[in-house]
Amino acid sequence: MADKVLMKGNEAIAEAAIVAGCRHYFGYPITPQTEIAAYMAKRMPKIGGCFLQAESEIAAINMVYGVASTGLRVMTSSSSPGISLKGEGLSYLAGADLPSLVVNVQRGGPGLGGIQPSQSDYFQATKGGAHGDFHMIVLAPASVQEMADLTVHGFDLADKYRMTSMILADGTMGQMMEPVSLDLEVKPMPEKPWATTGTKLQRKHNITNSLSLDPEELEMLNFKRYERYKVIEENEVMYEEYMMEDAEICIAAFGIASRVAKNAITEARKMGIKVGLIRPITLWPFPTAPFKAAADKVHTFISVELSMGQMIEDVRLATECRRPVKLVNRAGGMIPSPEQILEAIKEANKNGGAN
Amino acid sequence: MEFKRMTLLAGHYGSGKTNIAVNLAFSLKKRYDNVVVADMDIVNPYFRTKDSTEDFEKAGIKLIASRFAGSNVDLPSLPQEMYSLTDDKTCHAILDIGGDERGALVLGRYAPMIQEEGDYEMLFVFNSARPLTPDADSAIEVMREIEWAGKIPFTGIVNNTNIGEETTPETVISSMKKAEELCEKTGLPILMTTVHERIFSSLEDKIPNLYPLKLQAKIL
């Protein structure tokens, strides 16, 4: 095994993408994800790849569309306001069934917001991301190592299901430094007979397009796409359970929030409170089953988020509102403290599931 | 280590400049009354010298930083007070310069005054566990870019090789060869090797000019 290196989360994403065979990056700088572009700018020319700083986020996502059409691995990255700009392109990629990797290192919003970390693009990422019926696979890393691992996995899934994988990180995950192994397992890329690689006069033209002239045909494409989404929901869910064996209280948290939650759980356990954590790693498909199962055992759920409470709705849906789901949150670039979470745990423990 | 009036810390981003700057400031304060830390980083949005504001205040160390550092906006500006570094020759200063050539660009503005006075060390912070500076040659590439942007040639090297919490004494020992190669190829001395205080005692008799670092408070 190769030695570990010390990397920022943003760099880990960039290097992992290169390991996964990505040789095309298009982007536009925005804090707190700029190191992805900066890293690509330094690395791509040395390995025969293409780094291009586009004139805008909109241009960058459409360049992604172009390369994705040829079947090559391609990515872009941005932070919250920049992802909104890419929205139209994300929908077009979905409409044309093209694989791509898109990174959102979230910052506080709405609007221009600020540069401090946030998770307030959860709705945007998991409920479509732009106009039309579509999903993206949404992956939420909680360490710098996972930033690398899930980037490779995201490329694999994107190719396998011909759709966009989004890495939904936050500013802290992007900026923090941790040891990383870049010894990453990359699966062979599937055949892409649909790619526009030139007919060589041996086959019919391939066309990548999101426009359908016939509404019935467009409906059929939507039906087929949703059949594929069903397969993903059945096969690609990822989550981590932490101290759930005997838990009476279950925290739901992803990314940076789950790390703070683990600190709070350690403190609560010292006081004898049985609390555990379910950490969704795929936000779409959402890990419905473990939450549903937990509702049989725990009396209270606590959703910890860097937003006004977005994932909490999926927790309520998954548990069919059989148990109270409380919210512990900060917004606008602030991070909940372990003490704040601990208070909520103690309160839930006192109430024992009564509202 | 003997301190010049100004100690400049530059290097690849994430090489550990800010942590070293904070630690050196406290060492300086033990010897001199008038100590100033200048946060010249206009590149990095999080984890700044300014995060140590409270500790500096308690110790009586003066901090000069952008009023926007650690705020919600990304304004690459420096306060006019920064000129006091070269105007006030009674102070001893640590200059924490932003990463890479983009971060070093701001140094160019102060370079003529710093060089005219001549009482400074310009230190390259080297971490061979960073993926873009794994060896002497790649580090030299970064050094040349920084010197071009900052307009001050390096005068020494700080070996700060670490992989965060997983750093072992062996990590540091095996980096010495690379640091020595860097020293040979550039003709610059290794003025110190910095290690986390946790492993300081196990290396003290093995590495010359070893300096123990306390880490800045982490969020997690």
Side-chain angles (χ1 to χ4, degrees):
Chain A
M1 207 194 90
D3 284 346
K4 282 189 179 179
V5 288
L6 186 65
M7 292 186 109
K8 276 196 175 197
N10 285 335
E11 297 174 315
I13 286 178
E15 186 59 40
I18 290 168
V19 172
C22 175
R23 291 293 177 275
H24 293 82
Y25 173 94
F26 306 102
Y28 187 83
I30 179 171
T31 308
Q33 66 79 51
T34 301
E35 291 83 2
I36 302 179
Y39 192 92
M40 289 300 200
K42 284 218 190 304
R43 284 279 279 133
M44 282 299 195
K46 290 182 179 168
I47 53 173
C50 168
F51 163 83
L52 198 149
Q53 180 173 323
E55 65 270 36
S56 71
E57 286 87 348
I58 300 169
I61 193 72
N62 285 296
M63 292 170 187
V64 168
Y65 185 106
V67 172
S69 297
T70 70
L72 295 173
R73 286 194 160 166
V74 56
M75 74 179 286
T76 185
S77 62
S78 193
S79 179
S80 307
I83 295 293
S84 292
L85 283 166
K86 292 183 197 290
E88 182 192 55
L90 292 173
S91 181
Y92 279 46
L93 283 162
D97 295 309
L98 292 173
S100 71
L101 187 91
V102 177
V103 181
N104 181 1
V105 183
Q106 299 166 89
R107 55 188 252 178
L112 204 46
I115 62 168
Q116 299 296 327
S118 166
Q119 297 181 326
S120 54
D121 303 343
Y122 179 92
F123 281 154
Q124 185 193 45
T126 60
K127 311 295 174 190
H131 66 278
D133 282 311
F134 78 97
H135 276 295
M136 297 181 287
I137 292 167
V138 183
L139 304 164
S143 66
V144 175
Q145 184 66 56
E146 267 192 3
M147 293 282 253
D149 296 346
L150 292 178
T151 295
V152 174
H153 189 54
F155 274 112
D156 285 340
L157 292 176
D159 278 341
K160 186 172 172 188
Y161 295 106
R162 290 183 61 181
M163 61 192 287
T164 293
S165 291
M166 175 175 278
I167 304 290
L168 192 69
D170 68 84
T172 319
M173 295 302 316
Q175 295 297 325
M176 68 195 293
M177 293 180 77
E178 285 181 334
V180 189
S181 162
L182 291 166
D183 210 357
L184 305 164
E185 191 202 327
V186 184
K187 295 193 181 108
M189 204 159 75
E191 293 287 310
K192 295 180 177 176
W194 47 265
T196 54
T197 51
T199 66
K200 301 177 186 71
L201 299 173
Q202 284 165 8
R203 60 164 167 80
K204 281 175 68 177
H205 291 278
N206 283 339
I207 296 169
T208 55
N209 181 30
S210 70
L211 174 70
S212 296
L213 298 179
D214 176 4
E216 265 185 60
E217 185 193 299
L218 181 55
E219 183 189 41
M220 195 51 67
L221 284 171
N222 273 282
F223 286 161
K224 277 192 173 164
R225 202 167 290 127
Y226 269 67
E227 279 168 27
R228 208 159 71 228
Y229 291 162
K230 206 164 179 323
V231 176
I232 298 169
E233 286 174 318
E234 281 162 12
N235 297 299
E236 306 297 351
V237 170
M238 292 169 75
Y239 62 93
E240 178 199 358
E241 283 197 357
Y242 178 73
M243 294 196 168
M244 281 302 291
E245 298 78 15
D246 61 345
E248 293 167 359
I249 298 165
C250 172
I251 292 180
F254 66 95
I256 192 73
S258 70
R259 296 173 63 122
V260 188
K262 280 183 179 176
N263 288 345
I265 289 169
T266 308
E267 290 307 309
R269 285 270 170 184
K270 282 183 199 161
M271 298 171 186
I273 305 174
K274 291 175 176 169
V275 53
L277 165 79
I278 299 177
R279 172 172 76 92
I281 298 172
T282 51
L283 300 179
W284 192 90
F286 190 75
T288 303
F291 280 106
K292 199 175 173 184
D296 293 333
K297 301 191 302 180
V298 308
H299 58 67
T300 308
F301 289 87
I302 300 170
S303 190
V304 181
E305 305 185 49
L306 277 67
S307 73
M308 291 309 292
Q310 301 192 7
M311 184 177 70
I312 192 170
E313 294 193 2
D314 283 332
V315 177
R316 286 191 174 124
L317 281 171
T319 56
E320 293 159 352
C321 299
R322 283 154 60 212
R323 302 283 179 244
V325 188
K326 309 286 185 188
L327 178 67
V328 173
N329 70 315
R330 295 296 298 272
M334 301 302 291
I335 302 175
S337 66
E339 294 76 25
Q340 192 188 349
I341 303 169
L342 187 60
E343 276 313 303
I345 295 171
K346 287 201 282 196
E347 185 72 14
N349 189 50
K350 201 167 69 188
N351 296 342
N355 260 315
Chain B
M1 119 179 195
E2 286 304 308
F3 288 100
K4 296 279 173 63
R5 198 179 74 72
M6 279 182 277
T7 305
L8 286 62
L9 294 161
H12 181 42
Y13 73 88
S15 57
K17 298 175 294 296
T18 296
N19 241 311
I20 295 169
V22 171
N23 279 272
L24 285 185
F26 286 100
S27 291
L28 258 185
K29 185 64 191 173
K30 285 179 194 155
R31 283 186 233 179
Y32 304 101
D33 189 42
N34 186 1
V35 173
V36 181
V37 174
D39 180 351
M40 293 184 135
D41 191 342
I42 54 157
V43 180
N44 205 25
Y46 302 173
F47 312 123
R48 309 274 308 240
T49 318
K50 206 180 179 179
D51 298 342
S52 299
T53 302
E54 257 180 54
D55 294 335
F56 285 151
E57 266 172 21
K58 265 187 236 158
I61 296 168
K62 189 176 162 195
L63 172 70
I64 306 176
S66 162
R67 56 181 290 233
F68 303 107
S71 80
N72 232 344
V73 289
D74 216 0
L75 279 184
S77 67
L78 292 174
Q80 61 185 22
E81 224 186 336
M82 211 53 99
Y83 286 111
S84 70
L85 291 172
T86 45
D87 287 349
D88 174 12
K89 300 206 169 24
T90 67
C91 77
H92 275 77
I94 306 283
L95 280 63
D96 180 16
I97 297 152
D100 289 348
E101 77 282 9
R102 288 169 307 139
L105 211 54
V106 297
L107 186 60
R109 184 186 189 100
Y110 309 94
M113 287 92 82
I114 294 172
Q115 282 188 301
E116 194 194 325
E117 187 189 341
D119 194 359
Y120 68 92
E121 290 283 5
M122 168 81 170
L123 302 179
F124 178 74
V125 180
F126 176 55
N127 181 355
S128 66
R130 294 280 291 140
L132 294 188
T133 53
D135 49 36
D137 289 337
S138 54
I140 289 169
E141 198 180 315
V142 174
M143 289 175 85
R144 297 298 166 246
E145 287 170 355
I146 290 172
E147 288 174 333
W148 176 84
K151 306 282 182 257
I152 299 185
F154 283 104
T155 60
I157 293 160
V158 176
N159 180 19
N160 184 48
T161 296
N162 76 91
I163 47 169
E165 286 172 3
E166 291 182 26
T167 311
T168 62
E170 188 45 45
T171 315
V172 184
I173 290 169
S174 64
S175 75
M176 289 309 291
K177 224 178 120 183
K178 291 174 186 173
E180 279 154 16
E181 192 189 335
L182 183 59
C183 143
E184 216 167 275
K185 286 188 170 170
T186 58
L188 300 175
I190 305 171
L191 288 184
M192 59 179 169
T193 296
T194 46
V195 296
H196 191 279
E197 53 184 359
R198 174 172 57 80
I199 55 170
F200 178 76
S201 59
S202 54
L203 289 169
E204 210 175 354
D205 53 350
K206 297 189 182 78
I207 296 173
N209 303 321
L210 197 66
Y211 181 94
L213 289 180
K214 278 190 173 54
L215 287 191
Q216 265 190 304
K218 277 170 51 172
I219 306 172
L220 294 167

